[in-house]
Amino acid sequence: MSDNLIILIPFFPLLAAILIAILGPKLLKENSHYVTVLAFAASFVCSLMLFFSVQGQVVEEGTSFESVTTLWTWAAVDNAMIDADGHSVPFLIDVTLRSDALTSIMLCMVTFIATLVAIFGAGYMHGDRGYWRFFAYVSLFVFSMTMLVSVSNFLLLFVFWEAVGLCSYLLIGFWYHKPEASAAGKKAFLVNRVGDFGFALAIFLIWINYGTLNFHDYVVDGQVIIPGVFGQMRLGGALPYVQGGMATAICLLLMLGACGKSAQFPLHVWLPDAMEGPTPVSALIHAATMVTAGVYMVTRCTPLFHASPDAQVTVACIGGFTALLAGLIALTQHDLKRVLAYSTVSQLGYMFLALGTGSLAGIVAGMFHLFTHAFFKALLFLGSGSVMHAMGNVIDMRRFGGLRHLMPWTFRTFLVGCLALAGIFPFAGFWSKDAILASVHDRAYPGAHSHDSQDSEHDADHDADQDADDHATHSVALLSADHAGSNQADSYTNIYVWLYRSACFTAFLTAFYTFRAFFLTFYGPQVIPDESGHHAHESPPMMWIPLAILAIFAFLIGFVSELDHKFAHLLTSTPSLAFAGMHDTMQPGGFHMDIAISSSIIAVLGIALAAFLYLGHQREVEAISKLKLVAPLRALSLNKFYLDEIYTWAVVKPLEFLGIIYFWLDRWLVDGLVNLIGKVPVALGSGFRYLQTGLLPFYSLSMVVAMLILLFLGQVLWGGG
């Protein structure tokens, strides 16, 4: 059953993209959204069925589960490489899809959010001249993302990694007649090429060191012919993972690719500008598709990162720094969508911070936050789109306000999204963000929360069965390597202490800037811009119903997923998270009351400060902004720490200067030399033309003179010999 479902899930969006591309301009036109919505809904139903199928298999088998479906062989090269033992290694790339817990969770999240975004987009894009083109692009986007999380080898992962990048370029620059949108699309495309170059290098290194790009073992007649990178032979300990500098190089290059897709420092600069595309696109990119690809990839590659503590702490540092940096920038932004965009960058930083702890608890927390974040961030972006729709495409918070009575549904649902983002109990963000803080705290203060204090139900069911089996088969070499890596990772404790403190401060910033935007938009005197035509009103049901559905999930999904630790139980059945080395790390499933209380106090303080400053006349804000110490800091935040300007002068301008030089060299030196060579025969021909006089005496004299010259040269050159 799962074999058919995993094929149908990407098939429906692909079919929709093809049908709309062919029939949209002439036949479907304003009805193009029906095809997309139906396709996404069908994919979601199949994803849900796959989810329950995988869950049933996990419960039945009581261990990790995966199912691999091979459609066809794409490339097969015999004797492609000779390994270290002198054996010939073939290069095989199959179009193979995998069903496991990680894939099923991602597919459910992507297709559900995409369905609601498509419904909202039908109302938001109504009347746009590129209506059919929008839904064709969105369908192709979702197809690419579902394939990205479903494929079972690195090469196909890279193919759909690039396909997602292409679709984001097309959608961010959808309104290409606007210079800002066109520039934002190109910026996203070019910045991502930097990360993708690192990802491509990582794939080459993986092929060289592992002799395959498949995640799974290649099995023929029950015998493993080629061990996969995340196959049972390596996960079981029969074959070790590469250690040392090579492992670190592979992981850092993979992380560079993730930094591009998931907008982490220093490649984060493209994501805030991506809001120039239609708001449904922003919701799709920021919540469920492109930016989640990097987090997914690093999670999938956990065994590789487990072999390099240096890479793990680098991931944590990049995530923690990005979360703080984006939070500081979001404090002063006036554009509602830009505030949410920097919020996305910051929350993605939280996810990488959790993944960088290297513990199973941290990895589960990072993926849990990715899952919950998708619902409330889609809600917030679609809510901002509802505001933008009513305000005549104005999104500057200085130009509108007091909208809570004018737009009651948008107001209520937006409030739910803000509470979830701020991490207020019992909203979704509370559960996942606290799990991240707890995992970082455990890494920073080993032993502060003993393993026994956690809910032991998960440990008893999972560890007793799994550890006994896996540790028995785990090789001595791999165990000693893991132990050495663990000791090395312990030396980074002080770094994690600072990362934990930074994460707590970032949580305060998150609550503050989120409710700053909320109060500026919905409170104060009612202000409506002229662009709205003085007919501003609540969005139609096609737009606010998806908001209401997302609000319900933003409220409940965290609690439901955390109940009995369902999310952790399922996710840890993913083979690449169930190998023996991960069971030596901090396990998921615990609820740390002290972390929950402290983080809740931090969030409430952030909301209280935002209410004090932005409810009312805002005299305090004006007074604070004029302080000598605050003014330059505010300028740094408002101007995004001048990172765009730094990149312009450090990268763009030098490249433009080199481009001018190369253009001049190409135009005048290379082309000039080629043209000169071409003109020489013409010039010689023109010179000899004057010798053709038609007079016989001249020709006779010429022959005599030429003969004398030849005789003279012969005498000079050879006569002396």
Side-chain angles (χ1 to χ4, degrees):
M1 179 180 177
S2 61
D3 292 348
N4 294 327
L5 292 173
I6 197 66
I7 296 172
L8 289 175
I9 292 167
F11 170 76
F12 288 122
L14 177 62
L15 180 62
I18 295 172
L19 288 177
I20 296 173
I22 296 173
L23 304 177
K26 300 294 184 182
L27 186 61
L28 292 174
K29 297 181 180 178
E30 292 297 319
N31 295 315
S32 298
H33 65 277
Y34 287 112
V35 178
T36 297
V37 172
L38 288 174
F40 290 177
S43 290
F44 172 64
V45 171
C46 291
S47 299
L48 209 56
M49 293 171 65
L50 178 67
F51 175 85
F52 287 117
S53 175
V54 170
Q55 189 179 49
Q57 291 288 340
V58 170
V59 172
E60 180 180 340
E61 298 182 12
T63 183
S64 62
F65 168 78
E66 67 176 347
S67 175
V68 177
T69 304
T70 301
L71 303 182
W72 69 84
T73 298
W74 182 21
V77 180
D78 295 330
N79 305 320
M81 185 178 71
I82 303 298
D83 63 16
D85 298 326
H87 300 134
S88 175
V89 179
F91 179 74
L92 293 174
I93 295 295
D94 295 325
V95 178
T96 304
L97 305 179
R98 66 184 294 111
S99 305
D100 59 20
L102 179 58
T103 298
S104 65
I105 290 170
M106 289 294 295
L107 287 173
C108 284
M109 182 267 290
V110 170
T111 54
F112 179 75
I113 299 295
T115 302
L116 294 179
V117 168
I119 295 171
F120 182 93
Y124 187 87
M125 298 296 292
H126 180 71
D128 191 282
R129 63 180 183 177
Y131 193 82
W132 68 270
R133 183 166 56 90
F134 172 81
F135 284 100
Y137 289 167
V138 168
S139 299
L140 186 62
F141 197 12
V142 174
F143 160 72
S144 301
M145 187 64 193
T146 54
M147 285 296 292
L148 186 150
V149 301
S150 300
V151 294
S152 191
N153 68 63
F154 278 102
L155 187 58
L156 284 179
L157 175 61
F158 186 76
V159 168
F160 291 103
W161 187 273
E162 293 299 310
V164 167
L166 171 64
C167 293
S168 67
Y169 163 75
L170 295 173
L171 287 166
I172 293 169
F174 180 78
W175 288 318
Y176 53 83
H177 55 277
K178 294 171 54 181
E180 299 86 356
S182 180
K186 289 185 287 186
K187 185 176 183 180
F189 189 81
L190 292 174
V191 171
N192 270 274
R193 297 293 72 73
V194 177
D196 294 350
F197 178 70
F199 191 16
L201 290 179
I203 291 175
F204 283 122
L205 292 180
I206 290 171
W207 158 247
I208 291 171
N209 286 276
Y210 293 99
T212 183
L213 296 178
N214 287 335
F215 299 163
H216 58 281
D217 293 329
Y218 187 77
V219 180
V220 176
D221 297 330
Q223 182 179 0
V224 176
I225 304 300
I226 304 175
V229 181
F230 309 130
Q232 292 302 320
M233 287 193 68
R234 292 194 187 276
L235 297 178
L239 292 173
Y241 281 96
V242 174
Q243 305 286 323
M246 182 57 69
T248 301
I250 291 172
C251 293
L252 292 183
L253 288 170
L254 289 172
M255 184 59 191
L256 180 59
C259 284
K261 274 291 180 288
S262 294
Q264 296 297 284
F265 180 84
L267 302 180
H268 67 285
V269 292
W270 69 269
L271 188 57
D273 291 343
M275 64 171 194
E276 294 294 342
T279 299
V281 172
S282 300
L284 202 56
I285 290 176
H286 287 251
T289 52
M290 184 163 173
V291 298
T292 64
V295 180
Y296 161 80
M297 184 265 286
V298 173
T299 303
R300 177 68 75 187
C301 297
T302 292
L304 299 178
F305 282 87
H306 187 71
S308 175
D310 292 335
Q312 286 179 341
V313 75
T314 302
V315 171
C317 288
I318 291 173
F321 179 76
T322 305
L324 178 60
L325 176 68
L328 291 171
I329 295 174
L331 292 176
T332 58
Q333 300 304 305
H334 301 300
D335 187 304
L336 178 57
K337 286 176 66 177
R338 193 173 289 274
V339 172
L340 298 177
Y342 278 108
S343 168
T344 299
V345 176
S346 183
Q347 298 307 302
L348 289 165
Y350 264 113
M351 298 172 203
F352 282 106
L353 173 59
L355 297 181
T357 62
S359 67
L360 190 58
I363 293 166
V364 169
M367 282 302 301
F368 189 26
H369 196 51
L370 180 148
F371 181 70
T372 61
H373 176 265
F375 296 95
F376 58 76
K377 187 50 63 69
L379 169 61
L380 289 172
F381 260 104
L382 295 184
S384 70
S386 180
V387 171
M388 194 173 178
H389 183 265
M391 297 296 105
N393 291 326
V394 174
I395 200 64
D396 189 331
M397 293 183 290
R398 293 170 295 184
R399 299 190 56 199
F400 55 74
L403 304 182
R404 65 185 186 280
H405 299 303
L406 183 69
M407 308 180 69
W409 279 108
T410 302
F411 164 70
R412 297 182 190 117
T413 56
F414 203 91
L415 174 60
V416 172
C418 289
L419 291 169
L421 177 56
I424 299 298
F425 177 84
F427 295 86
F430 166 82
W431 304 97
S432 55
K433 188 177 293 186
D434 275 23
I436 290 176
L437 292 175
S439 66
V440 180
H441 185 274
D442 289 335
R443 194 67 182 78
Y445 304 99
H449 295 113
S450 67
H451 188 75
D452 294 334
S453 67
Q454 299 182 33
D455 188 332
S456 60
E457 180 181 351
H458 173 266
D459 299 338
D461 293 343
H462 191 77
D463 292 341
D465 296 333
Q466 192 78 6
D467 285 18
D469 181 59
D470 286 349
H471 279 286
T473 59
H474 206 260
S475 67
V476 175
L478 185 57
L479 278 174
S480 61
D482 285 343
H483 181 67
S486 177
N487 290 338
Q488 184 180 6
D490 289 341
S491 65
Y492 295 125
T493 298
N494 288 334
I495 295 176
Y496 286 101
V497 169
W498 283 103
L499 288 173
Y500 174 71
R501 294 171 181 172
S502 173
C504 290
F505 181 61
T506 304
F508 171 79
L509 296 178
T510 302
F512 177 79
Y513 68 65
T514 300
F515 275 85
R516 168 184 173 268
F518 176 73
F519 292 141
L520 288 176
T521 301
F522 294 101
Y523 282 84
Q526 189 174 96
V527 179
I528 299 173
D530 294 336
E531 287 84 348
S532 66
H534 303 288
H535 298 293
H537 54 80
E538 179 62 274
S539 298
M542 183 174 283
M543 295 175 66
W544 67 253
I545 288 177
L547 296 180
I549 295 173
L550 285 169
I552 295 171
F553 277 85
F555 178 68
L556 292 176
I557 195 66
F559 173 75
V560 172
S561 299
E562 187 66 11
L563 193 65
D564 295 329
H565 313 303
K566 293 184 181 70
F567 187 91
H569 274 296
L570 181 62
L571 186 64
T572 52
S573 70
T574 305
S576 55
L577 299 181
F579 68 104
M582 290 306 296
H583 300 313
D584 298 328
T585 66
M586 201 68 186
Q587 299 298 299
F591 181 77
H592 305 307
M593 183 60 71
D594 53 343
I595 302 293
I597 293 173
S598 61
S599 65
S600 296
I601 293 173
I602 289 171
V604 170
L605 288 175
I607 296 173
L609 181 59
F612 173 73
L613 293 177
Y614 292 98
L615 283 179
H617 191 268
Q618 300 180 29
R619 285 185 292 267
E620 295 82 1
V621 176
E622 297 172 2
I624 293 173
S625 63
K626 294 177 182 178
L627 295 175
K628 289 184 178 181
L629 180 62
V630 175
L633 297 177
R634 181 178 181 276
L636 277 176
S637 174
L638 186 61
N639 292 284
K640 299 163 285 186
F641 286 83
Y642 299 98
L643 287 171
D644 282 319
E645 289 78 6
I646 291 172
Y647 283 139
T648 297
W649 288 104
V651 179
V652 177
K653 292 297 182 183
L655 289 177
E656 287 181 349
F657 179 70
L658 287 175
I660 293 171
I661 293 176
Y662 290 149
F663 174 78
W664 187 90
L665 291 173
D666 182 68
R667 180 76 176 270
W668 300 107
L669 184 62
V670 179
D671 285 356
L673 183 60
V674 172
N675 293 337
L676 178 62
I677 294 173
K679 290 177 180 178
V680 167
V682 177
L684 291 174
S686 298
F688 286 120
R689 186 174 59 195
Y690 293 107
L691 300 178
Q692 306 301 320
T693 63
L695 299 175
L696 288 176
F698 176 77
Y699 295 151
S700 300
L701 177 63
S702 299
M703 287 188 289
V704 171
V705 171
M707 184 62 69
L708 292 174
I709 292 172
L710 290 174
L711 290 173
F712 174 76
L713 292 174
Q715 183 65 24
V716 171
L717 295 175
W718 294 287

